[in-house]
Amino acid sequence: MKAPASAPTPGSGQEPQKPRWLTDEEQRVWRSFMEGVTLLDDHLDRQLQRDAGMPHVYYGLLVKLADAPRGQLRMTELAMLAKITRSRLSHAIARLEKNGWVRREDCPDDKRGQFAVLTDQGFEVLRQTAPGHVEAVRQAVFDRLSPEQQKSLGEIMRIVAEGLQPTEAGADLPWLR
């Protein structure tokens, strides 16, 4: 596909900066990456819907709560760890509450703050679901990669994630929206 011509920004009085189009090889890598991410997310989502009646994002929230001290996290911290908007988190927690897997508690030192708390029932659902989920992850990713490829994938994704989480004030990050 031929790169489209760029037009000057109206009123800027400056020549537009030329786009840095992807090379054919970069385009191949990008498309393979996007296809893999999309298919992996769908694969894991279907496995969790089938085995536990929940989407992948909900499972991730339960895992983060299970890993937290006393099974609880402030809602803002949980949104940050899950890399989702506060609105999406609030909706997800409402659904998890409806299932009896999570409850909200007011924060004693902050009238506006709330904790999401993993319930015993939520922990049990997680305990029952985890083996099938781990097997789905293992089959989809780790069984297909050599130990060196696994290490490279981890390093690459860590670099990408770090680059997408600026630390300056006013950064546009999901959990800040």
Side-chain angles (χ1 to χ4, degrees):
M1 179 167 121
K2 187 174 179 176
S6 61
T9 307
S12 68
Q14 299 178 9
E15 279 295 310
Q17 187 174 7
K18 286 192 172 194
R20 297 183 323 129
W21 298 109
L22 299 178
T23 66
D24 289 345
E25 179 61 14
E26 289 169 335
Q27 188 70 251
R28 186 192 64 72
V29 169
W30 175 246
R31 289 180 181 184
S32 294
F33 171 80
M34 289 305 300
E35 184 177 349
V37 166
T38 300
L39 290 170
L40 179 61
D41 189 49
D42 178 70
H43 174 73
L44 297 176
D45 209 48
R46 282 183 295 116
Q47 176 269 318
L48 287 163
Q49 286 288 358
R50 181 183 62 244
D51 292 356
M54 76 173 97
H56 193 207
V57 70
Y58 291 13
Y59 179 84
L61 295 171
L62 295 178
V63 168
K64 285 169 183 29
L65 289 171
D67 288 345
R70 298 176 308 284
Q72 70 178 31
L73 286 167
R74 287 184 66 113
M75 293 285 284
T76 51
E77 185 177 2
L78 184 54
M80 183 188 72
L81 292 172
K83 311 293 186 239
I84 61 176
T85 63
R86 292 178 287 197
S87 173
R88 186 173 184 196
L89 175 65
S90 183
H91 177 75
I93 292 298
R95 296 287 304 271
L96 292 169
E97 279 182 301
K98 187 176 177 183
N99 290 341
W101 300 342
V102 171
R103 71 176 180 276
R104 292 183 212 219
E105 292 182 0
D106 290 333
C107 194
D109 57 335
D110 180 0
K111 296 276 188 217
R112 296 177 300 153
Q114 283 191 319
F115 286 104
V117 182
L118 184 65
T119 65
D120 290 342
Q121 186 181 356
F123 183 79
E124 184 58 27
V125 166
L126 191 57
R127 188 188 67 72
Q128 290 176 9
T129 307
H133 183 64
V134 169
E135 187 56 32
V137 169
R138 183 167 296 290
Q139 288 176 355
V141 179
F142 294 98
D143 290 351
R144 299 173 187 271
L145 301 176
S146 70
E148 295 80 24
Q149 290 170 320
Q150 293 174 23
K151 183 178 178 189
S152 293
L153 179 62
E155 291 169 353
I156 289 165
M157 295 315 297
R158 194 170 19 264
I159 290 167
V160 170
E162 287 171 0
L164 293 171
Q165 297 181 87
T167 56
E168 69 269 1
D172 184 22
L173 297 166
W175 55 93
L176 299 176
R177 288 185 233 136

